[in-house]
Amino acid sequence: MHLNPYGEDAVNLAADLANRRPATAGKLADRCRAAGLVLEHPVTPRDLDRVHAVLEAWEKVVDAADERERAELVNRMLAESAAYPRLTDHTGGGWHLHYRDDRQPLGSVLFALFSVGTALHLAGRGMHRLRRCAVTECVTIFADTSRTGRQRYCSQRCANRDAVRRHRASRATG
Ligand SMILES: [Zn+2]
Ligand SMILES: [Zn+2]
């Protein structure tokens, strides 16, 4: 996975893992590979623990009360995880930027990737574009990469569910 200028793949992977936490190191490895990440080391239970801790911190970014708090939380993650940027061709698939030291275990790789990816996404597309679904009992997190930046639901299914409910509510009161 290469970080694109908007950090889209990285922020989407963070949301995917936060929404459905991998239970084992093997499952974590599979999900990362499916997202296009090249794994340089065997994935261990320590990586899994690290990723759970990183996702805890990341969910606080999602649930931040306002932009300032959100920025502060992202900056804290960046300070703890990211190194100076460097060009690398470690996979032979083309030169790209890493914001981390070489030869890191997956837990550290994901920490840096989610911090930088989320920062790029928020700075590039808008500070409000990370949230939970507007349906109250759906807690699914998504990064809003829509053209308008007004996505409210995690899926079309939830959008329909809410439309039906609002329709019923308006008939009840009207
Ligand atoms: Zn790379
Ligand atoms: Zn939803």
Side-chain angles (χ1 to χ4, degrees), residues 53-72:
V54 167
L55 291 172
E56 288 310 321
W58 189 76
E59 286 203 32
K60 293 205 170 70
V61 172
V62 175
D63 296 324
D66 56 35
E67 290 187 0
R68 228 158 254 292
E69 183 186 311
R70 178 166 276 188
E72 209 168 284

Side-chain angles (χ1 to χ4, degrees), residues 11 22 26 35 37 49 96 119 144 165 169-170 173:
V11 78
L37 212 69
D49 288 348
H96 57 284
D144 182 355
R165 178 177 315 170
S170 72
T173 55

Side-chain angles (χ1 to χ4, degrees), residues 117-148:
T118 302
L120 289 170
H121 171 74
L122 296 173
R125 286 205 155 107
M127 288 300 285
H128 66 287
R129 284 176 175 246
L130 184 63
R131 59 169 292 166
R132 289 182 196 269
C133 183
V135 169
T136 326
E137 63 278 14
C138 177
V139 293
T140 302
I141 300 166
F142 64 89
D144 182 355
T145 55
S146 67
R147 198 176 48 77
T148 58

Side-chain angles (χ1 to χ4, degrees), residues 133-135 138-140 142 152-155 157-159 161:
C133 183
V135 169
C138 177
V139 293
T140 302
F142 64 89
R152 298 184 63 230
Y153 304 99
C154 70
S155 59
R157 197 172 147 261
C158 274
R161 225 162 106 188

